[in-house]
Amino acid sequence: MDGEDESRTQPRVGGGERVEPPASFVEQANVSDPGVRDAFAEDWPDCWRVAADLLDWTTEYDAVLGGDAPPFRWFDGGELNASYNCVDRHLADRKNQVAITWEGRLGESRTYSYLDLYREVNEFAAALRELGVEEDDVVTLYMPVVPELPVAMLACARIGAPHSVVFAGFSADALATRMESADSEFLVTCDGYYRRGAPVQLKNKADNAAISLDGGVEATVVVDRLGDDTPLTDDEYDYEGLVTDHRGETVDPVPRAATDQLFLIHTSGTTGVPTPVRHTTGGYLAHAAWTSHAVLDVKPADTHWCSADIGWITGHSYTVYGPLALGATTMLYEGTPDHPEKDRVWELIERNAVDTFYTAPTAIRAFMKWGESHPDAHDLSSLRLLGTVGEPINPRAWKWYHEHIGGGDCPVVDTWWQTETGGMMVTTLPGVDDMKPGSAGPPLPGIDARVVDTDGDPVEPGESGFLVVTDPWPGMPLSMVEDDDWFGARDPARPDLSDYDWAYFTEDGATVDEDGYVTLLGRVDDVINVSGHRFATMEIEAAIADVEGVAEAAVVSGPHDLKGQSVYAYASAVESADEDALRDRIDAAVEDAIGPIAVPDVVVFTPELPKTRSGKVMRRFLEAVAHDDDLGDTSALRNPEVVGELESALADRD
Ligand code: 6R9
């Protein structure tokens, strides 16, 4: 990779710096009209036609946006099928082009052309129907990143059955909670998968979840990933066997209303109870396709790699639905970035000549730590655009990514969005806007996102406030417009939005500069962002509080070089408890309740938690201790001596 740097850097007003997109990129960009923001603003909401135009509709919509109050109906009256849009319609032009290229953990690869994908999606859709899945039945997909996962998603979409993907790293309990919350009686899973080359069992977790479900599971389909003959009961089916039984069958894609549910996905709300977020067929798909086109600059001839697990929203929108709707090749990777070697990601980019790469700051920080010798050993010249998502990226990591991975001539898009938004909301357009390392950028055209103070008024440039979205957008979830409680008061630290006709508070803090570029400051609710994944502190606390020997527990976020934030748990033990044994039990309990990813990085034992006179745990102090920050005024505490004890407990640990 040569270091030729076409982009210039210059000081920016208000500090930081600006990086212009390289002219060679702008020339070929899907969206490069500098007037695009104004054009969208003048023609809102009809501007969103450009997104809908990327899709094929079986029935044209009557209005771009129906309803000026909830429930909003994007592309009202229109009908379409997501599986048709992601598969069938590409057959005419590119039936032999690779739709999915999969790189497995053991070094194996598999490719599916659009024709292969069409066949398997149809066959599996026929199988699901035979198992009794009807339109609007929710099918849970508890699977690692194997090609059968997008096949199952598209097969569900084909028959109008919403899918609910549950990340394979979640525990049996977490799976059961999500199946119950989604009222889902059908499950597709794997016997297991490989982690760092070693097999991990998954089916037994699914079995344990099924046992705890009141209604049980009507049918379970098992993908054979490990190759050991897992014994199956009468209501369990082998994936390969089902597909073979239905070989050559086709299933007509069911026309769905634009406002019909395409899928649901759970996210950690502040309350600690996983919240189902239900996305629509028309608005969501249009939003995912448009942002893949305008922000990731994906073209049909491209190989796009989004490194997120499909179990998270990022994988839904930018591994599966967006790139496939555009007819591109999407790459799936089952493994970890440092196995078998720390250059695995660069080797895969070189081998597959990846054009657009989308990953998370946590990964970039790890790459940086491992050093540039790993990317330098590979030819990364196929890359045209780089993206990040999931948490704020610090300017140093941004520049490292831009220089060492992009060779200085790939724009970097820092895309802010959420499970709730369905797709990107705040980011530069790579063919239009200058970039400012560390700042996500302006809201996308057609998106009204702003930073407001506690009164709901826009803040002055340079001041911080709350990020809110004050107009509906196509990728907004059904849950948001149907559930009045969605905006219910959850936190005293929230802005007053009563002056707006409608507004959504994102629970993120942010600042904005004089050019309208938004810099994210992190969550203002009790949600921890570990390696780009959301967990409510209450969810983890509940698991710890249940452990025998623990009297009381509180969880806050602490700093972490690589993961962004880490889970700090404070626990007071009952007198007789042995702390080492307790720590093991705490780890096991969190792993059982949620999964290994949420296990606390630090557990501090303390005789008591710091509390106000009214008995409320003072999280602010726990956070300050975790961050080694100044404690400020401790006079509100009933037991100020505890803070000193906590500090020395942490110091002993280091
Ligand atoms: C897509 C996704 C959403 C939360 C969000 C925010 C954080 C996401 C970010 C970012 C700063 C970015 N977040 N992208 N923070 N800069 N570019 O990650 O969805 O898992 O629901 O998380 O992630 O705090 O509120 P989700």
Side-chain angles (χ1 to χ4, degrees):
M1 184 158 83
D2 69 28
E4 189 65 30
D5 188 349
E6 284 183 63
S7 53
R8 291 190 291 111
T9 57
Q10 60 185 50
R12 89 165 136 125
V13 203
E17 59 190 289
R18 266 174 188 276
V19 180
E20 279 181 10
S24 55
F25 180 88
V26 175
E27 268 163 31
Q28 61 78 60
N30 285 341
V31 174
S32 58
D33 172 11
V36 62
R37 280 204 166 70
D38 290 344
F40 266 66
E42 277 159 30
D43 194 27
W44 194 91
D46 287 351
C47 54
W48 282 108
R49 266 184 208 288
V50 292
D53 284 351
L54 293 172
L55 306 178
D56 280 5
W57 297 78
T58 37
T59 309
E60 257 316 299
Y61 47 89
D62 310 315
V64 170
L65 178 58
D68 50 15
F72 296 109
R73 297 179 307 277
W74 282 93
F75 310 116
D76 202 12
E79 288 188 325
L80 74 168
N81 182 282
S83 154
Y84 177 87
N85 270 281
C86 292
V87 188
D88 307 36
R89 66 170 177 150
H90 304 310
L91 294 180
D93 291 339
R94 54 186 77 93
K95 63 178 188 301
N96 293 324
Q97 179 190 310
V98 176
I100 294 177
T101 180
W102 173 78
E103 296 280 357
R105 279 190 209 268
L106 302 182
E108 69 276 61
S109 11
R110 246 153 78 187
T111 55
Y112 287 63
S113 67
Y114 271 98
L115 184 59
D116 296 333
L117 185 61
Y118 171 80
R119 289 202 181 114
E120 195 152 323
V121 166
N122 272 281
E123 288 157 0
F124 194 54
L128 288 175
R129 277 234 174 112
E130 192 202 56
L131 295 177
V133 179
E134 292 179 3
E135 195 171 348
D136 291 321
D137 284 346
V138 175
V139 180
T140 300
L141 309 177
Y142 182 50
M143 301 163 84
V145 179
V146 288
E148 290 83 355
L149 175 51
V151 168
M153 292 163 81
L154 294 165
C156 287
R158 196 165 191 87
I159 59 174
H163 53 72
S164 167
V165 181
V166 177
F167 172 58
F170 275 131
S171 64
D173 281 0
L175 170 63
T177 314
R178 283 160 179 75
M179 286 190 76
E180 217 148 81
S181 129
D183 205 8
S184 172
E185 295 176 341
F186 296 94
L187 177 66
V188 184
T189 187
C190 270
D191 53 352
Y193 57 97
Y194 294 94
R195 178 136 190 98
R196 312 189 79 79
V200 179
Q201 301 298 323
L202 191 65
K203 168 79 171 31
N204 59 357
K205 288 203 276 176
D207 291 344
N208 288 338
I211 292 167
S212 66
L213 283 174
D214 281 348
V217 178
E218 200 160 314
T220 303
V221 179
V222 184
V223 174
D224 180 7
R225 171 73 184 104
L226 299 182
D228 31 72
D229 288 321
T230 311
L232 299 177
T233 62
D234 283 351
D235 48 14
E236 295 176 339
Y237 303 84
D238 169 51
Y239 175 92
E240 209 46 55
L242 284 178
V243 166
T244 310
D245 286 349
H246 293 274
R247 180 125 309 153
E249 287 180 29
T250 55
V251 173
D252 287 342
V254 173
R256 299 277 283 171
T259 49
D260 278 346
Q261 187 182 348
L262 176 59
F263 67 85
L264 67 101
I265 181 165
H266 287 87
T267 188
S268 287
T270 319
T271 57
V273 183
T275 316
V277 178
R278 294 176 298 120
H279 279 291
T280 64
T281 308
Y284 167 84
L285 195 62
H287 196 133
W290 162 251
T291 45
S292 299
H293 170 84
V295 181
L296 297 176
D297 200 51
V298 170
K299 300 180 167 65
D302 283 344
T303 297
H304 169 67
W305 183 14
C306 162
S307 73
D309 192 290
I310 298 175
W312 310 105
I313 189 72
T314 305
H316 282 58
S317 303
Y318 300 110
T319 300
V320 181
Y321 285 112
L324 292 178
L326 298 178
T329 300
T330 190
M331 189 170 120
L332 270 52
Y333 176 48
E334 190 192 29
T336 39
D338 57 347
H339 186 84
E341 298 297 336
K342 290 192 170 65
D343 68 343
R344 179 74 168 135
V345 167
W346 321 121
E347 180 218 322
L348 290 174
I349 289 180
E350 177 173 10
R351 182 143 56 85
N352 292 285
V354 169
D355 299 273
T356 51
F357 180 54
Y358 191 40
T359 192
T362 181
I364 298 168
R365 288 191 295 266
F367 300 148
M368 231 169 104
K369 191 177 140 202
W370 300 336
E372 46 260 27
S373 63
H374 300 292
D376 284 355
H378 294 275
D379 176 5
L380 304 181
S381 59
S382 62
L383 288 170
R384 186 175 80 244
L385 172 128
L386 301 172
T388 86
V389 59
E391 48 176 327
I393 179 162
N394 50 309
R396 200 162 70 89
W398 191 103
K399 286 181 202 161
W400 188 90
Y401 192 37
H402 182 247
E403 184 181 330
H404 293 287
I405 308 307
D409 59 9
C410 296
V412 173
V413 285
D414 172 1
T415 62
W416 177 91
W417 58 291
Q418 305 178 306
T419 306
E420 292 86 340
T421 69
M424 299 165 183
M425 302 288 277
V426 177
T427 167
T428 51
L429 279 171
V432 174
D433 301 310
D434 286 358
M435 300 160 269
K436 298 185 187 185
S439 167
L444 277 174
I447 300 290
D448 199 342
R450 51 179 87 182
V451 183
V452 302
D453 60 20
T454 43
D455 295 329
D457 297 326
V459 298
E460 292 296 322
E463 286 180 0
S464 56
F466 305 100
L467 182 66
V468 298
V469 188
T470 50
D471 270 325
W473 65 94
M476 70 195 305
L478 273 174
S479 347
M480 190 178 291
V481 292
E482 284 179 356
D483 176 2
D484 290 343
D485 274 352
W486 186 276
F487 310 101
R490 277 178 272 174
D491 195 310
R494 50 187 304 121
D496 176 1
L497 300 173
S498 50
D499 282 348
Y500 294 91
D501 290 339
W502 181 88
Y504 164 59
F505 174 36
T506 65
E507 312 269 348
D508 272 315
T511 64
V512 62
D513 71 9
E514 43 285 287
D515 300 322
Y517 278 51
V518 176
T519 297
L520 278 302
L521 302 173
R523 305 279 302 191
V524 299
D525 57 6
D526 291 327
V527 167
I528 305 185
N529 189 330
V530 184
S531 303
H533 304 311
R534 279 161 66 174
F535 297 100
T537 52
M538 283 169 72
E539 205 175 351
I540 308 175
E541 269 165 26
I544 300 178
D546 257 3
V547 172
E548 205 190 312
V550 170
E552 215 180 6
V555 167
V556 300
S557 69
H560 195 284
D561 286 351
L562 296 179
K563 296 198 283 189
Q565 291 183 325
S566 55
V567 178
Y568 269 60
Y570 295 87
S572 63
V574 297
E575 255 165 44
S576 53
D578 164 40
E579 289 185 359
D580 285 339
L582 209 50
R583 164 86 216 216
D584 291 344
R585 290 212 292 277
I586 287 174
D587 289 358
V590 176
E591 189 163 336
D592 281 353
I594 305 167
I597 185 168
V599 167
D601 297 274
V602 177
V603 178
V604 182
F605 289 103
T606 169
E608 261 184 86
L609 297 173
K611 288 192 182 156
T612 62
R613 282 169 226 284
S614 61
K616 199 173 183 306
V617 175
M618 287 287 270
R619 293 172 177 282
R620 186 158 66 82
F621 290 112
L622 297 175
E623 267 162 20
V625 170
H627 286 267
D628 211 5
D629 280 347
D630 189 25
L631 291 174
D633 184 6
T634 53
S635 62
L637 284 180
R638 185 182 66 194
N639 50 355
E641 70 285 355
V642 168
V643 174
E645 284 174 28
L646 285 175
E647 280 177 324
S648 49
L650 256 183
D652 287 352
R653 212 196 113 254
D654 301 337

